Amino acid sequence: MKKFCLLVALLVFQTMLLAQTKSPAEFLGYELGERFTPHHKVVAYFQHVATENPGVVLREYGKTNELRPLLVAFVSSVANIDRLETIRTDNLKRTGMLEGSPELSIPVHWMSYNVHGNEAVSSEATMMTLFSLVDPENSQYRSWLDEMLVVLDPCVNPDGQERYVNWYQQKMNQVLQPDLQSIEHREPWPGGRPNHYLFDLNRDWAWQTQVESQQRLALYNEWLPQVHLDFHEQGINSPYYFAPAAEPLHAQLTDFQQEYQERFGRNTATYFDANDWFYFTKERFDLLYPSYGDTYPMYNGAIGMTIEQGGSGRAGIGGYTADGDTVTLKDRIIHHHTTGISAIQTTFDLKEQVLKAYSNYFEESSSDPAGPYKSFVIKGSNPPAKVQALLDLLDKNQIRYGLSGKNASLTGFSYRSGQSERLNLEENDIVVNAYQPKSVLTQVLFEPEPVLNDSITYDITSWALPYAYGLEAYALESRLDAKQPYEAVAFEPNQPDAETLAYIAPWNATLHVKFLSALLQDGIRVRYNEYPFEVGGKSYPTGSLIVTRGGNDYVPNFHQKVTDLANSFQIPLGQTRTGYMDSGKDFGSSHVRVIRKPSIALVGGEGVSSLNFGEIWHFLDSELAYPVVILEQDQLTSADLSRYDVMVLPSGSYPEELYETLTEWVTAGGKLLALDDALKLFADKPDGMLRTFASEDERALQDSIESKAMEEEKTAPFLERERLDISTYAAGAIFEVQLDPTHPLGYGKNGTFYTLKNSSDRYALMDQGINAGYISGLDSHRTGFIGYKIKPGMARSLVFGVEPKGRGQLIYLADNPVFRSFWEDGKLILANALFLSGN
């Protein structure tokens, strides 16, 4: 009787709370789907629901670049909310990240919304789902929450969402206007999809280059949920997509991870079929690239799923499809809400299997890793700053590593040569092995060549960290354990010395570029050497940063300022009291050049790749804290370009009339960097040096290959045409690039760079220009998919080149060296182009 009374009292209490909990329509003043909701109102609604319901707890986990809050809602029964920390630590015990056995059997089901800002239906749908989950009259939902924890992230990308919503509110009609030619369906550059720095946050999970990703993944890794759904929108003419995912599926995905997707797909289909809603599964969205909101959870033991509603930013409140139907925001909201409820139901129905499979995943993968490579060795002889950059990434992903602690002769796959060879293991080498909780993620991030069971993939096909960070490393098929914990060599602060004539800093990592940026902005004159030199028993390679006392006499507290800046970056400085070299050029030589502080203009606007623009903007503004002027390309013919020393053209399509304007500016002494597709503006010009394709022999070989392929394609089945199209496609193929170590573009690289090729464009070596980086032959291909039609033309093709023009120069970067900002080693190439080349 007492229990019955308590139950009645609890139900009455919950009913009273719901009476105080407003629906989204009551709170916002309009029905969901009538308009888009600004981010601050989404946050306010979540705060309202959490205030009125003891089964909901909000946690703000960070802020965006534009200082908007990032938050999640934990939704469950009051009893589960009271033991939230136990549920969290239980999860980590199942993974082996914490020792001990779990006390409870509560699966964690996480759903993320609005990672792409103009796919703004997500934040609307999450308010509907939240309100449904707290409804005490819904006994089914309440029974689910008694035995599971639901986590809702209402908006992963608030800055992008707000950019889109603010623009749309200004352009929308009061009367529904689904004509896609109407202005409300024509979102301007750069669109609301990316974040503040125009990064695609859905491709940043593993790399964590952006503040939103860094803060979200710190929280995610505190919980490591069993299920993660990532809500998106696709083109307006597509219906609705939900899992199971498409091929290729990574070889390390488990049977249960795929079985859950099948069960979820069939369950969701029953809801959609009952409402005559169209959908598709097992197409387009694969599970390979490790930095998505579905694959990253998969490689961390969860069931990760992408959900895609047709519509996106173009649809607005409502838009016509190619079939003449109208896709409305209201429709899109109910579809996402239904899918979210179906997923929660699936997790509840399979909760025992979910928890068991999750525990087995970590136990089996850490004790008996399935991949071919069990251990990875990062040579301790690599530049320390480059090694530390990689270790910082491993720390973000909670991947464990240690020091070898011994000397041995082993055999392993060399990333540099692309072959198996002997390596001499040394005590200070770093060992990362797969016998750890993050076993699968470790193997995926380091694997030299992902196994493709289907070559049609949604993204790049290679990303191995030793290539991205430019490190000498090896993959071993055997287990190699670290003998001692890794401890970085303690930094000994540099001491100012009034007798020092010059301080000398290394130049081989992004950290050193940050130091240079700080020096230049403090008005300190910096030099670099064109030849290696020795002084005081120490050797310094080409491109070292030299900060001399002479020429900086106007800098107050010169010695203190230089050493303080170096200490802030923990960069050890060489010091010399003489400018007379034991070997090499003296500091007064014309071969020791001054680095002039450049005034940099970055070009954006319609036609420019917002992603490549964002990568360069983020590098300069956020990583280097270096001032940059942003010009839109339609300004270039009228702006006073004489104010700028350096101009950067990101990948994009530029009108021909800009060619004369830009080359005149270069001839007058400007330095222009063209990246990726921007090279097309300068290619094959009568007065230029850049030429497409390659030699006559290579062209003949290519013609032969294409001729044979064309004959095969004539009789190919119609539905196989997509597969044939990829023969001219490069999907993140990694090639070794031969760098000219004597040219500033190659400084700090020891003659080698690994480029990530995402374009089929090929450029010939220049007859008169400087071929600073090129692919020497087809044996330079290390990993990643590249179509057979274009691969032959990669031999002896230009990657980085310089065309002198009058008093200035054109610098060609045929491949994007800072792809998604995770291609860390390419940042030095870009810095060389910005600061050193042409001085």
Side-chain angles (χ1 to χ4, degrees):
M1 185 67 176
K2 185 181 293 185
K3 289 184 178 179
F4 176 76
C5 291
L6 287 173
L7 180 60
V8 171
L10 180 60
L11 290 174
V12 170
F13 177 63
Q14 288 180 329
T15 302
M16 290 173 62
L17 285 176
L18 183 66
Q20 299 172 27
T21 303
K22 296 179 180 180
S23 69
E26 292 170 326
F27 184 87
L28 300 171
Y30 52 86
E31 294 288 342
L32 289 177
E34 291 182 353
R35 61 193 308 112
F36 287 106
T37 305
H39 179 256
H40 71 276
K41 287 190 175 182
V42 177
V43 171
Y45 184 68
F46 267 66
Q47 290 170 337
H48 162 70
V49 173
T51 299
E52 302 297 337
N53 292 272
V56 180
V57 171
L58 284 190
R59 175 174 172 182
E60 183 176 320
Y61 63 85
K63 282 188 166 54
T64 68
N65 286 289
E66 297 173 17
L67 302 182
R68 294 186 176 88
L70 296 161
L71 56 90
V72 293
F74 296 97
V75 187
S76 194
S77 67
V78 176
N80 287 336
I81 292 298
D82 287 343
R83 50 191 183 179
L84 209 54
E85 180 62 11
T86 301
I87 295 173
R88 186 188 75 82
T89 55
D90 275 355
N91 245 21
L92 297 185
K93 289 173 182 176
R94 291 186 179 94
T95 68
M97 300 297 289
L98 287 180
E99 293 184 1
S101 301
E103 301 175 28
L104 307 171
S105 297
I106 306 293
V108 180
H109 181 103
W110 196 300
M111 300 198 289
S112 297
Y113 300 81
N114 227 154
V115 66
H116 293 144
N118 59 3
E119 297 173 9
V121 61
S122 293
S123 289
E124 311 296 326
T126 192
M127 290 187 284
M128 177 181 285
T129 300
L130 177 63
F131 183 67
S132 298
L133 291 175
V134 300
D135 183 354
E137 296 182 2
N138 193 321
S139 58
Q140 184 181 39
Y141 292 6
R142 193 168 65 249
S143 68
W144 295 348
L145 294 177
D146 285 340
E147 300 188 50
M148 63 187 296
L149 173 66
V150 174
V151 186
L152 302 176
D153 188 331
C155 189
V156 172
N157 181 11
D159 292 350
Q161 191 261 8
E162 195 77 350
R163 186 186 312 124
Y164 173 74
V165 170
N166 279 342
W167 168 80
Y168 190 83
Q169 305 287 45
Q170 298 171 46
K171 303 300 181 183
M172 69 176 288
N173 290 292
Q174 294 301 311
V175 178
L176 180 65
Q177 179 46 266
D179 186 339
L180 296 185
Q181 295 188 111
S182 184
I183 191 171
E184 69 188 83
H185 302 290
R186 299 176 63 82
E187 191 181 1
W189 190 93
R193 178 183 175 91
N195 75 338
H196 172 81
Y197 280 110
L198 308 189
F199 274 68
D200 185 336
L201 294 180
N202 190 41
R203 288 158 170 80
D204 194 44
W205 278 69
W207 320 132
Q208 300 174 51
T209 69
Q210 302 300 291
V211 294
E212 297 92 343
S213 305
Q214 292 161 11
Q215 296 167 119
R216 184 179 71 257
L217 268 298
L219 176 67
Y220 185 93
N221 279 304
E222 287 179 11
W223 284 86
L224 290 175
Q226 278 77 42
V227 180
H228 180 263
L229 271 71
D230 196 19
F231 287 86
H232 292 262
E233 290 186 81
Q234 55 192 324
I236 192 170
N237 292 317
S238 297
Y240 197 94
Y241 164 83
F242 49 80
E247 300 278 1
L249 304 174
H250 195 278
Q252 292 234 37
L253 300 184
T254 68
D255 291 342
F256 182 76
Q257 285 176 318
Q258 297 177 59
E259 178 189 337
Y260 179 101
Q261 290 203 356
E262 180 70 23
R263 289 283 296 270
F264 160 76
R266 291 189 180 278
N267 191 61
T268 307
T270 61
Y271 288 103
F272 275 61
D273 291 342
N275 289 282
D276 295 328
W277 298 336
F278 289 107
Y279 57 88
F280 66 95
T281 65
K282 301 181 285 292
E283 293 182 61
R284 193 178 306 161
F285 303 103
D286 59 63
L287 293 172
L288 184 69
Y289 174 70
S291 204
Y292 280 131
D294 54 6
T295 50
Y296 186 89
M298 280 286 208
Y299 299 144
N300 279 278
I303 292 96
M305 297 187 291
T306 288
I307 308 299
E308 297 270 357
Q309 163 67 53
S312 200
R314 194 176 183 203
I317 300 300
Y320 288 137
T321 68
D323 295 332
D325 296 326
T326 302
V327 174
T328 68
L329 181 58
K330 290 183 178 180
D331 293 336
R332 291 144 61 198
I333 291 171
I334 191 63
H335 294 166
H336 265 353
H337 168 69
T338 302
T339 303
I341 294 300
S342 171
I344 294 171
Q345 181 184 19
T346 303
T347 299
F348 174 79
D349 290 343
L350 298 175
K351 58 184 181 297
E352 293 178 3
Q353 297 100 305
V354 163
L355 290 173
K356 182 179 179 181
Y358 182 82
S359 298
N360 290 343
Y361 176 97
F362 286 97
E363 181 180 343
E364 293 171 4
S365 61
S366 61
S367 62
D368 186 19
Y373 295 104
K374 315 299 184 185
S375 308
F376 306 92
V377 175
I378 311 299
K379 292 296 293 179
S381 55
N382 286 296
K386 294 175 69 171
V387 172
Q388 189 57 53
L390 173 62
L391 299 185
D392 289 344
L393 180 69
L394 299 185
D395 289 341
K396 289 176 184 177
N397 288 289
Q398 298 184 349
I399 292 173
R400 299 170 180 174
Y401 52 87
L403 286 177
S404 157
K406 66 177 182 180
N407 296 309
S409 180
L410 303 171
T411 299
F413 172 87
S414 166
Y415 289 88
R416 286 190 170 179
S417 69
Q419 298 175 353
S420 180
E421 58 184 49
R422 300 294 293 176
L423 73 121
N424 292 318
L425 184 73
E426 298 173 290
E427 291 185 2
N428 66 335
D429 290 343
I430 295 168
V431 174
V432 187
N433 74 30
Y435 297 86
Q436 61 168 300
K438 293 292 188 107
S439 173
V440 174
L441 183 64
T442 299
Q443 294 174 79
V444 169
L445 294 183
F446 278 92
E447 61 188 341
E449 179 95 54
V451 176
L452 286 176
N453 53 10
D454 194 317
S455 51
I456 299 178
T457 178
Y458 198 67
D459 212 293
I460 62 173
T461 56
S462 54
W463 48 78
L465 293 180
Y467 293 124
Y469 283 77
L471 297 169
E472 182 184 359
Y474 298 85
L476 279 61
E477 296 181 3
S478 57
R479 178 170 184 166
L480 177 64
D481 291 321
K483 295 298 182 183
Q484 60 192 73
Y486 174 83
E487 290 185 15
V489 176
F491 174 70
E492 295 184 12
N494 302 287
Q495 300 299 322
D497 176 10
E499 301 301 316
T500 293
L501 183 137
Y503 298 94
I504 308 165
W507 182 258
N508 53 46
T510 306
L511 184 70
H512 307 134
V513 187
K514 295 178 181 180
F515 179 48
L516 172 62
S517 173
L519 289 168
L520 293 177
Q521 292 184 77
D522 265 8
I524 298 172
R525 187 171 293 167
V526 185
R527 292 170 164 79
Y528 70 88
N529 53 309
E530 292 185 316
Y531 289 89
F533 65 89
E534 292 183 13
V535 64
K538 294 184 179 180
S539 300
Y540 297 95
T542 301
S544 299
L545 301 181
I546 304 167
V547 188
T548 57
R549 188 177 65 210
N552 279 303
D553 48 288
Y554 57 88
V555 179
N557 301 314
F558 166 77
H559 297 279
Q560 190 70 52
K561 185 169 286 188
V562 172
T563 53
D564 282 352
L565 279 175
N567 291 342
S568 70
F569 294 105
Q570 295 197 1
I571 296 174
L573 296 175
Q575 298 184 25
T576 177
R577 296 186 177 189
T578 178
Y580 188 94
M581 300 300 100
D582 299 330
S583 67
K585 307 295 182 181
D586 299 327
F587 289 159
S589 168
S590 61
H591 293 288
V592 178
R593 296 185 175 273
V594 173
I595 302 173
R596 306 189 187 281
K597 179 184 176 183
S599 175
I600 300 175
L602 174 62
V603 178
E606 292 293 341
V608 176
S609 164
S610 62
L611 294 174
N612 191 210
F613 172 92
E615 290 155 355
I616 301 164
W617 181 27
H618 180 262
F619 178 62
L620 288 165
D621 189 53
S622 181
E623 293 194 67
L624 302 188
Y626 193 88
V628 57
V629 172
I630 295 173
L631 303 175
E632 295 208 335
Q633 67 160 296
D634 60 7
Q635 292 178 260
L636 296 180
T637 54
S638 58
D640 180 7
L641 301 184
S642 66
R643 300 181 184 181
Y644 314 114
D645 308 303
V646 177
M647 188 181 304
V648 184
L649 295 188
S651 183
S653 176
Y654 296 88
E656 279 295 320
E657 52 265 29
L658 281 182
Y659 177 75
E660 185 175 349
T661 299
L662 295 176
T663 52
E664 285 181 359
W665 173 79
V666 171
T667 302
K671 179 168 65 175
L672 187 144
L673 280 61
L675 284 80
D676 203 351
D677 278 351
L679 272 67
K680 294 176 181 177
L681 179 62
F682 305 95
D684 300 319
K685 294 293 191 292
D687 61 340
M689 300 178 184
L690 185 66
R691 297 285 179 265
T692 52
F693 206 56
S695 70
E696 290 300 320
D697 290 342
E698 289 158 344
R699 188 184 297 275
L701 174 61
Q702 185 72 15
D703 288 345
S704 172
I705 292 172
E706 292 185 356
S707 175
K708 181 179 179 181
M710 287 175 64
E711 286 300 314
E712 295 174 353
E713 290 170 12
K714 288 178 181 178
T715 57
F718 174 73
L719 292 178
E720 291 295 315
R721 292 301 172 96
E722 181 184 8
R723 195 166 302 281
L724 292 171
D725 287 344
I726 66 172
S727 61
T728 60
Y729 181 60
I734 296 174
F735 281 83
E736 181 181 308
V737 175
Q738 300 298 311
L739 292 176
D740 180 352
T742 70
H743 190 274
L745 282 182
Y747 287 174
K749 308 305 301 174
N750 290 324
T752 303
F753 174 71
Y754 293 93
T755 191
L756 188 67
K757 190 164 287 293
N758 289 304
S759 170
S760 61
D761 295 332
R762 292 146 292 169
Y763 295 92
L765 298 181
M766 293 184 288
D767 292 333
Q768 300 177 34
I770 301 166
N771 299 300
Y774 63 96
I775 295 171
S776 61
L778 296 186
D779 58 353
S780 299
H781 180 219
R782 289 291 174 268
T783 180
F785 178 80
I786 185 164
Y788 72 91
K789 287 184 181 179
I790 62 171
K791 185 174 181 179
M794 295 300 169
R796 294 188 61 74
S797 64
L798 181 73
V799 178
F800 306 128
V802 180
E803 177 181 339
K805 208 168 192 66
R807 292 190 291 114
Q809 60 179 214
L810 290 159
I811 297 181
Y812 300 126
L813 307 175
D815 296 333
N816 174 14
V818 290
F819 181 73
R820 294 180 186 165
S821 198
F822 91 89
W823 208 257
E824 183 71 20
D825 202 36
K827 293 174 183 176
L828 195 67
I829 298 287
L830 181 58
N832 284 339
L834 289 167
F835 297 107
L836 302 190
S837 183
N839 274 294

